[in-house]
Amino acid sequence: MRLELVLQIAIALMCALSAILLSMGERQPLLGVVAAMMSACAVYFNDLHGWVRLRTKGENVACLIAVAIALFDLWRFGADSQLLAAANLLVYLQFVLLFQQKTLRRYWMLALLSLMQVAVAAALGLDLSFGLVLFGYLLLSLGTLSLFFAHREISRYSPQAAGEGLPAAANWRLNRRSGLRSGVLNFTQPPGASAISSSTVGVDEPVSWRYGRLVSLMSVSALALAFVLFFLIPRFEKSPWPRARTTTASIVGIPETVSLREVGRIYENPEAVMRVSFRDSQNRIYELREPPLFRGFHLTVYDDNRWRETTEPNPVSMSIEELTGATNHIFQELEVRPTDNEVLFHAGWPVQLTSQSELLVDFARERILRPHRDINQYRKYALATTSFENGRQSRFTPVTRPPRDAYALLPYLHVPRSLTRLPDIAAEAAAGIDPDDKLALIKAVNDYLVDPERFAYSLQSSRRDPSMDAVEDFLVNNRQGHCEYFASAMTLMLRSLNIPARMAIGYKGDEYNALGYFYQVRQLHAHAWVEAYLTFDELPASLRSRGGEWAGGAWYTVDPSPISRVDEIHATTAMQFLTLWQLADYARYLWSGYVMGMDAQRQRSLYEFPLVAAKNLADRKFWINLPGEAEDFIWGDGGPAVNGWFNRRVALAAVLMAIATAIAGQLLWRRIRGRWRRTAAGRASTAPPPRAETLLFRRLESILARRDFHRPHGQTPLEYATAARGHLARSPATRTVANLPRGVVDSFYRLRFAGQGLDKDELHLLEQSLARLEAAIAAGDNPAGAQQA
Amino acid sequence: MPILKASRYRLAVNAEGWCYLAVLVLILLAALIRDINLLLLLFGMLVGPLAFSWAAVVVSLRRVVVERRLPDELAAGEPFDVELHLTNGKRYLNSWAVTVDDRIVRLDGRGAHDAVEGGVLFFRTEPGQTSRGAYRVRLAQRGKYRFGPVTVSSQFPLGLLRRSMGVDDVATVVVLPRLGQMQPGWMQLGAALTHASRHSDRRLGLREGEFLGLREWRSGDSSRWIHWRTTARKGELMVRQFERRQNHDLALLVDLWQPAAPTPAHLERVELAVSMAATLLRETCRQGGGRLWIATAGRQFALFQGAASLALLRDGLERLAVVEADDHQRLGALVAAAHREVPRGARCMLISTRPLAAGSAGAPEGLDHRFADKLMQPIEIVDVGSPQFDRYFQPA
């Protein structure tokens, strides 16, 4: 009964988890919640109490309703999502089965339905969280199937033990060839019937820890084999069939307009947007000393509290390398998750696109565009740029197409007339600065805005004066706001100072994962900053001396926001939590790169790895250099630090300590277990089995004890027998057996002290004597019984 | 008891396993056709348990030895335990969920194609250890049975694959007839029979029995018993004293007739007749003394005899266990054999499965008068189909 209860709970959990996986795939959390509730209700109301149970009619009606709902789903979702409708039908049928009387067949059907749901969910799922739940499902389903197997076998061999509660006739099994179902042979007629009842040895084993350990071992083995198969099954270079299309993937992105009138707190969405890693031209990790800015697009026109872009798009497909000819590259590898924006956010202006990128360039709007907005899976892009120097992102970006004349810069100098106070504030900020020194003016305005005495960074919305422009209100009345307010204010202030400026929109790479050497860009990292145009003459002398690409001037990047939000998070978050956060990101990186993104190319590179390793091992130089490299690895700089203290050396020490602790623990456990077993065995062996004469005498004592005649401490057996004779002689019922104790004690003495054995007849007589004594005492206690006897 | 060793191995996919494989293939196809890595991973996850199942069933049956122990005596209708011992000869690994299925087949013509199976599930047997289990059998019918062959199998841990090994060793046992209780009516019948027998003995001069000694005359003593020589010597009437002869000799004639197409009622009568004969045999052998003749007329004619003893009981029960009814008329041969073999003075009883009314001479109707005349003592006929039968015998 206990086994079946555990099985019922396990199967309900399995069904709930599969529905949750499906809901994750479909992005419909409600389905998972409902499934979990239904499973819990089924266990309580159906399995435990039987209060709610579908009979045949109810089952049929429920199935019809399920099919009807599925058809409605099909109509609602359309032909593109037939899979979702079919998957939902699986869930509905599962609900029906959950509320029926559980039989072996229904258990198996539930397991199959659950498995099919997971198969559909796997076709829809993307995230690491899905993968983790999938692993959990694997563990649970294997445990459940093992329990089901155990329950099935025990039901076959010991229906009572399995709690089947079958009628007695069904407990007898019969060979199929007899063709009978009643469990009796047809050649036997009353009285009685030939039958067999089988049995089980170790009914409780399936719910023991040992069984659980075995199932765990099976799960781990299955997981290991799963990964081996996953990496070994060859992928198509180009799939002969169209790729799966899903309409349920969640997408992220930034809108191409910025409105400063929106109220409410900015929601910090931690959803990942992309992952960016930097490498130099020699394919080494390129570490940055400050957070990079990933620019997407810029906004030029400001009116009615909104920033927008008016330039018409004009994308062209061509290689930037042809235009610039730059060779000193820093490569950035961008792994972008599904997004609703065709703009590719990147650091610095790209000078080279790899052949696989297939990107478009919109020179008019200075954007890199993705030709396919694939919303199904992660896409990878590789760009090269010269915008990094000495680990810092250059603030100057050369203008790819210089303005033809001054009129071309007019949009970047436009300030709405409604902003009457802004020019004064700008002038105040630039007071005392040479108007011709544009860089100094820009820095002065920046210093004005980042001054914490004047302005404060806040994600909370503040009450704005509706009669004023939002930017002017920010500058005059409510001097707190988020990055868009600071960038807007600075852009317009620079324009009022006759410096062409625009607002750039993108992400700030505040989250560096030192384990995976990549920047994790999230939606909450969305940022706005300012780009100011400087002519060639206004550039620093170091750039002017380079000439070439700088001849048309440059856009100067300046970020007036006083503090980033991630910095706030860092300030308040425990360092350990941040490490875990980074670990999770790294796991996501591996998941998306090596599981979701596994393709023929990556598979080839994985195959190459062991070949290269084997080649290295066969190389004599490797062994010569090994001690030095090992020494450098152990005593070197320890690699990049995470949170200031956790680096490669610490990790190595931690791993070694963990291994040592595990070995020591294992040895200690074996020692303790061995000692415990020896003690238990010794305890068992030091207590020899009682000898025959002792057993005889003990039995005599136990028989006489029923008459409350006990042997006092110190009384010899002979004295005891003599006293017993007197005691028994007093009662008429036991008078005839009064001498029997003496005979037993005589035999006891013969065995114990004379060392004489008793032959078979003597033992038999002795047994008979004790039986007579016992019967006489019982008859004395129960006179009615005695008469009957 | 012989240790049963494996003779052949077999690996099969269960119905659940086929379902599992079908889902597996579908997932693989979907993964390859639609190029979905997660489905491929799921495929790998599902292949893992299948591979583990294969390894588990192989390991569980490796170096496993089975032993069957049967009780010394099996009686129809009485449950008995068949012990199965499973020894795991491996050094390190447990044997999980090993099932030992035994097969019981009746070896006569009536039940040759019917078999029952019993078994024990040994959920875990530790390395080097022996697990003991038993299945309980209740065989309703007497006869010769074959135990075996044994099938040892394992479907651990998911029940997807089944690996089995057949063990050809078989044991043939005889299931003794079902025993019952003789009723008070039978005791009265026995007394009447004894009285009739005494009358006959007196007529034949066999009533007095063996000479025991002499004693003084008492009122009622027959004058024929007076020992005149001693009377003369002692001067008072002295009579001879005899030891009363307690004749326990019994002849059981069992007429197992049934029509060519017997109904269940006919079959039941046959079983009742055999059961009563077996019960009488047991009672007689327990009391001891006297001799016993048992003649059965069914498909074969058989007669055996001996002094009432435990040896005869065992032998007689085994013979009764395998007798079969037939539609041939062998009653005449039965009576003839009784006349030939059974001495005078023995109680003679005919248990028949068909109605045989007693005639005036005590000879059953329908008997050949040539044989009936040969009977020297009264014969009591018990018809197991008659309503009075319950007064004599009650099956267990």
Side-chain angles (χ1 to χ4, degrees):
Chain A
M1 197 61 197
R2 185 178 160 211
L3 173 63
E4 186 166 22
L5 181 63
V6 175
L7 174 63
Q8 285 164 350
I9 293 171
I11 205 95
L13 278 174
M14 187 177 162
C15 291
L17 202 55
S18 61
I20 288 171
L21 276 169
L22 191 60
S23 71
M24 289 172 77
E26 293 183 6
R27 268 79 180 180
Q28 289 182 350
L30 183 65
L31 182 69
V33 174
V34 170
M37 288 175 61
M38 292 289 266
S39 300
C41 290
V43 169
Y44 188 77
F45 293 112
N46 178 27
D47 298 334
L48 281 181
H49 298 289
W51 293 336
V52 181
R53 183 165 290 171
L54 290 174
R55 310 291 174 191
T56 310
K57 282 184 182 174
E59 176 189 340
N60 292 339
V61 170
C63 283
L64 284 174
I65 293 172
V67 171
I69 295 174
L71 288 174
F72 174 72
D73 284 347
L74 192 62
W75 171 76
R76 188 164 56 108
F77 294 146
D80 287 344
S81 300
Q82 291 162 345
L83 188 63
L84 301 185
N88 287 350
L89 178 61
L90 295 176
V91 180
Y92 306 147
L93 291 177
Q94 179 178 285
F95 291 163
V96 176
L97 278 175
L98 277 173
F99 281 94
Q100 289 182 17
Q101 171 83 44
K102 299 288 191 308
T103 60
L104 293 178
R105 188 168 139 264
R106 286 186 181 134
Y107 280 126
W108 179 245
M109 286 173 70
L110 278 170
L112 268 186
L113 280 176
S114 170
L115 187 59
M116 288 162 74
Q117 285 171 47
V118 172
V120 175
L124 304 172
L126 292 170
D127 300 333
L128 174 64
S129 56
F130 181 89
L132 291 175
V133 180
L134 187 64
F135 293 150
Y137 176 82
L138 174 74
L139 295 175
L140 180 65
S141 61
L142 289 182
T144 306
L145 287 178
S146 304
L147 285 174
F148 169 69
F149 161 74
H151 176 67
R152 190 189 72 184
E153 291 295 292
I154 292 173
S155 299
R156 279 178 58 199
Y157 286 89
S158 307
Q160 303 297 339
E164 283 290 288
L166 297 176
N171 292 347
W172 307 97
R173 300 190 309 114
L174 186 71
N175 190 288
R176 289 178 194 164
R177 293 174 61 188
S178 67
L180 297 179
R181 293 181 183 276
S182 60
V184 297
L185 289 177
N186 59 356
F187 64 80
T188 58
Q189 296 299 323
S194 294
I196 290 182
S197 83
S198 302
S199 66
T200 301
V201 178
V203 173
D204 292 330
E205 281 289 340
V207 286
S208 67
W209 65 270
R210 206 179 283 108
Y211 197 68
R213 194 175 62 176
L214 198 71
V215 171
S216 303
L217 176 66
M218 177 171 60
S219 305
V220 171
S221 309
L223 210 56
L225 189 62
F227 276 107
V228 170
L229 281 176
F230 179 77
F231 290 118
L232 286 183
I233 292 175
R235 308 300 203 279
F236 295 107
E237 286 288 345
K238 190 170 178 62
S239 178
W241 298 283
R243 290 180 66 87
R245 187 177 52 166
T246 314
T247 58
T248 56
S250 71
I251 49 180
V252 294
I254 298 178
E256 294 200 14
T257 58
V258 170
S259 175
L260 298 178
R261 276 289 181 205
E262 289 176 353
V263 297
R265 192 182 192 281
I266 297 289
Y267 172 59
E268 293 190 306
N269 182 4
E271 205 164 358
V273 176
M274 62 180 183
R275 215 172 272 130
V276 187
S277 58
F278 293 95
R279 291 180 180 274
D280 61 14
S281 55
Q282 295 177 341
N283 204 27
R284 293 175 302 195
I285 301 294
Y286 187 76
E287 293 181 22
L288 299 179
R289 299 183 181 183
E290 59 185 15
L293 292 171
F294 299 99
R295 183 182 183 282
F297 51 91
H298 63 258
L299 301 173
T300 310
V301 179
Y302 178 77
D303 56 7
D304 195 18
N305 302 306
R306 286 177 74 241
W307 284 96
R308 58 191 170 86
E309 183 60 56
T310 55
T311 312
E312 291 300 316
N314 182 26
V316 290
S317 175
M318 56 193 304
S319 169
I320 298 175
E321 191 180 27
E322 293 171 7
L323 300 171
T324 61
T327 54
N328 187 19
H329 304 149
I330 295 297
F331 287 94
Q332 51 184 311
E333 191 175 285
L334 302 110
E335 194 175 355
V336 184
R337 67 162 294 171
T339 170
D340 61 352
N341 202 320
E342 63 183 351
V343 175
L344 180 67
F345 293 83
H346 59 278
W349 184 248
V351 294
Q352 186 189 43
L353 306 179
T354 59
S355 58
Q356 62 173 5
S357 295
E358 299 176 349
L359 293 171
L360 301 175
V361 181
D362 186 346
F363 287 103
R365 292 158 46 121
E366 295 181 45
R367 299 179 181 190
I368 305 295
L369 302 176
R370 299 186 298 145
H372 308 294
R373 279 194 291 167
D374 194 343
I375 60 170
N376 184 40
Q377 58 184 333
Y378 282 79
R379 299 284 287 187
K380 284 185 180 172
Y381 304 97
L383 302 175
T385 181
T386 55
S387 300
F388 290 93
E389 205 169 334
N390 299 323
R392 296 180 189 278
Q393 188 175 7
S394 174
R395 289 176 176 269
F396 296 93
T397 304
V399 176
T400 52
R401 288 190 173 178
R404 292 185 300 276
D405 48 30
Y407 291 104
L409 291 173
L410 281 180
Y412 304 111
L413 292 169
H414 173 72
V415 178
R417 292 183 180 176
S418 58
L419 300 173
T420 53
R421 297 189 195 178
L422 184 133
D424 298 337
I425 297 170
E428 180 192 343
I433 307 294
D434 180 9
D436 293 331
D437 190 351
K438 298 291 172 60
L439 265 177
L441 285 174
I442 293 168
K443 285 175 182 171
V445 173
N446 188 41
D447 291 343
Y448 181 83
L449 287 171
V450 298
D451 183 3
E453 298 294 327
R454 291 194 182 93
F455 297 96
Y457 186 93
S458 172
L459 293 173
Q460 298 285 350
S461 70
S462 54
R463 183 183 293 275
R464 300 286 175 200
D465 186 352
S467 63
M468 291 178 69
D469 182 88
V471 175
E472 205 161 77
D473 183 59
F474 168 70
L475 287 171
V476 177
N477 297 328
N478 300 306
R479 294 186 170 189
Q480 60 175 9
H482 49 78
C483 60
E484 290 171 352
Y485 283 94
F486 283 92
S488 300
M490 184 166 186
T491 305
L492 295 173
M493 285 168 74
L494 290 178
R495 288 181 180 184
S496 72
L497 294 172
N498 204 29
I499 299 173
R502 63 191 183 188
M503 187 162 77
I505 300 295
Y507 294 96
K508 188 175 183 181
D510 274 317
E511 189 179 337
Y512 183 66
N513 192 312
L515 298 171
Y517 304 111
F518 60 82
Y519 284 92
Q520 178 65 61
V521 181
R522 303 176 185 282
Q523 195 65 28
L524 60 84
H525 295 144
H527 197 45
W529 60 93
V530 179
E531 288 176 347
Y533 177 72
L534 299 175
T535 60
F536 179 78
D537 296 333
E538 292 163 350
L539 291 175
S542 58
L543 293 178
R544 285 203 305 272
S545 62
R546 295 183 190 177
E549 57 183 325
W550 302 100
W555 288 100
Y556 179 69
T557 301
V558 57
D559 185 2
S561 300
I563 186 170
S564 73
R565 285 150 296 169
V566 176
D567 290 340
E568 284 182 304
I569 293 169
H570 288 187
T572 56
T573 308
M575 301 303 275
Q576 290 82 356
F577 180 75
L578 187 63
T579 305
L580 290 175
W581 184 265
Q582 290 189 345
L583 274 173
D585 276 339
Y586 187 55
R588 283 192 202 100
Y589 167 72
L590 292 177
W591 175 260
S592 65
Y594 291 91
V595 178
M596 300 304 298
M598 177 61 67
D599 52 13
Q601 189 184 358
R602 178 148 278 179
Q603 202 171 26
R604 249 197 326 272
S605 68
L606 280 176
Y607 292 161
E608 283 170 5
F609 175 74
L611 295 175
V612 171
K615 192 178 172 185
N616 285 339
L617 288 174
D619 191 357
R620 191 161 158 265
K621 286 181 185 173
F622 171 79
W623 297 104
I624 293 170
N625 296 333
L626 185 63
E629 289 185 2
E631 190 178 352
D632 184 51
F633 181 82
I634 296 170
W635 305 113
D637 63 350
V642 181
N643 298 335
W645 64 275
F646 189 82
N647 60 11
R648 197 168 59 205
R649 197 186 301 164
V650 175
L652 180 67
V655 168
L656 289 176
M657 280 183 66
I659 292 171
T661 309
I663 292 171
Q666 182 76 5
L667 290 174
L668 189 66
W669 165 245
R670 283 187 180 180
R671 198 178 179 84
I672 292 171
R673 191 176 61 177
R675 179 168 291 182
W676 181 78
R677 283 184 177 174
R678 279 195 299 275
T679 308
R683 206 179 294 133
S685 61
T686 50
R691 297 169 60 174
E693 67 271 20
T694 310
L695 287 175
L696 279 173
F697 188 69
R698 280 186 193 166
R699 190 173 164 203
L700 175 67
E701 282 184 312
S702 69
I703 292 170
L704 292 175
R706 292 179 202 166
R707 288 287 300 263
D708 290 333
F709 187 76
H710 301 281
R711 186 164 73 100
H713 182 69
Q715 193 177 44
T716 65
L718 187 61
E719 291 167 347
Y720 177 61
T722 308
R725 182 171 59 187
H727 179 77
L728 294 172
R730 279 189 222 121
S731 169
T734 56
R735 193 169 294 149
T736 54
V737 293
N739 287 325
L740 290 181
R742 176 61 191 265
V744 174
V745 168
D746 286 345
S747 300
F748 171 75
Y749 279 146
R750 273 182 61 197
L751 285 166
R752 168 65 65 90
F753 303 112
Q756 296 175 359
L758 296 174
D759 60 24
K760 196 175 175 182
D761 292 336
E762 286 173 321
L763 272 175
H764 184 64
L765 280 174
L766 214 50
E767 280 290 329
Q768 281 188 335
S769 300
L770 287 169
R772 277 181 59 206
L773 183 62
E774 193 170 8
I777 287 176
D781 293 340
N782 182 10
Q787 282 180 0
Q788 204 172 20
Chain B
M1 286 292 163
I3 290 176
L4 312 181
K5 291 184 179 174
S7 58
R8 59 185 181 275
Y9 288 94
R10 188 166 168 262
L11 185 69
V13 182
N14 293 338
E16 290 88 349
W18 284 116
C19 292
Y20 191 86
L21 281 175
V23 173
L24 207 60
V25 170
L26 284 176
I27 289 174
L28 179 62
L29 288 176
L32 292 178
I33 289 174
R34 306 307 299 271
D35 198 12
I36 302 173
N37 278 328
L38 212 49
L39 274 181
L40 214 53
L41 186 65
L42 182 65
F43 169 78
M45 285 179 176
L46 295 181
V47 168
L50 204 61
F52 192 91
S53 295
W54 175 79
V57 295
V58 168
V59 168
S60 284
L61 292 194
R62 187 177 293 161
R63 302 188 68 185
V64 158
V65 177
V66 178
E67 187 181 355
R68 185 206 295 120
R69 292 187 181 179
L70 287 166
D72 293 335
E73 189 175 290
L74 310 179
E78 290 181 11
F80 60 91
D81 290 338
V82 178
E83 282 188 35
L84 291 171
H85 295 189
L86 181 81
T87 303
N88 177 10
K90 293 186 284 292
R91 289 186 65 186
Y92 301 109
L93 298 172
N94 291 314
S95 279
W96 284 93
V98 175
T99 58
V100 181
D101 290 311
D102 205 359
R103 183 181 167 86
I104 305 173
V105 181
R106 189 170 177 177
L107 291 181
D108 57 27
R110 290 176 297 172
H113 297 296
D114 288 316
V116 285
E117 287 182 353
V120 177
L121 166 65
F122 296 94
F123 216 90
R124 188 174 69 90
T125 305
E126 292 184 354
Q129 301 293 314
T130 298
S131 296
R132 293 170 176 80
Y135 65 89
R136 177 155 287 196
V137 186
R138 191 180 69 217
L139 295 170
Q141 285 292 330
R142 65 194 165 78
K144 195 174 282 186
Y145 287 83
R146 187 189 72 205
F147 281 71
V150 170
T151 304
V152 185
S153 62
S154 178
Q155 302 179 48
F156 185 78
L158 302 176
L160 303 175
L161 303 175
R162 180 176 188 268
R163 190 165 190 259
S164 60
M165 60 182 195
V167 180
D168 284 335
D169 289 357
V170 294
T172 303
V173 296
V174 174
V175 176
L176 305 180
R178 186 188 299 267
L179 297 174
Q181 289 291 327
M182 302 311 297
Q183 298 300 302
W186 165 253
M187 307 302 172
Q188 293 165 6
L189 183 69
L193 202 64
T194 305
H195 179 74
S197 178
R198 266 186 201 164
H199 178 75
S200 176
D201 289 349
R202 193 170 289 129
R203 185 165 58 90
L204 296 171
L206 302 172
R207 178 70 185 85
E208 287 77 9
E210 298 298 326
F211 175 75
L212 181 66
L214 295 172
R215 62 169 171 81
E216 63 275 16
W217 183 87
R218 293 173 194 161
S219 176
D221 285 347
S222 171
S223 57
R224 292 170 60 196
W225 297 348
I226 297 172
H227 194 267
W228 295 109
R229 187 182 297 174
T230 308
T231 301
R233 195 170 62 241
K234 289 219 172 188
E236 58 175 337
L237 282 172
M238 297 293 286
V239 295
R240 284 174 292 186
Q241 188 180 4
F242 297 95
E243 182 188 25
R244 175 172 292 181
R245 177 182 292 176
Q246 291 292 331
N247 192 344
H248 293 293
D249 293 350
L250 175 66
L252 279 177
L253 311 179
V254 187
D255 173 32
L256 298 174
W257 178 89
Q258 68 180 21
T263 62
H266 289 116
L267 294 174
E268 184 183 344
R269 284 180 196 170
V270 171
E271 293 306 317
L272 280 173
V274 174
S275 180
M276 182 178 181
T279 307
L280 280 172
L281 174 65
R282 181 190 63 181
E283 298 293 324
T284 308
C285 289
R286 274 187 182 172
Q287 287 173 5
R291 292 183 67 79
L292 196 64
W293 287 263
I294 297 180
T296 59
R299 181 165 294 175
Q300 297 88 23
F301 177 82
L303 186 141
F304 59 95
Q305 59 169 314
S309 63
L310 289 177
L312 180 69
L313 174 64
R314 176 76 196 183
D315 182 46
L317 288 176
E318 286 192 1
R319 284 169 182 264
L320 286 172
V322 295
V323 294
E324 294 178 44
D326 201 355
D327 58 342
H328 287 91
Q329 297 285 352
R330 291 199 172 91
L331 185 59
L334 194 65
V335 175
H339 172 71
R340 193 170 55 248
E341 301 288 341
V342 179
R344 291 174 181 172
R347 292 162 54 193
C348 197
M349 171 153 303
L350 172 61
I351 303 171
S352 179
T353 58
R354 49 186 163 171
L356 297 169
S360 58
E365 192 177 270
L367 289 179
D368 190 327
H369 285 283
R370 288 179 302 165
F371 297 113
D373 293 342
K374 291 175 183 173
L375 287 173
M376 299 303 292
Q377 64 267 32
I379 180 168
E380 183 60 31
I381 299 172
V382 176
D383 172 15
V384 295
S386 70
Q388 292 80 23
F389 181 71
D390 290 345
R391 291 175 51 230
Y392 305 143
F393 177 70
Q394 195 66 43

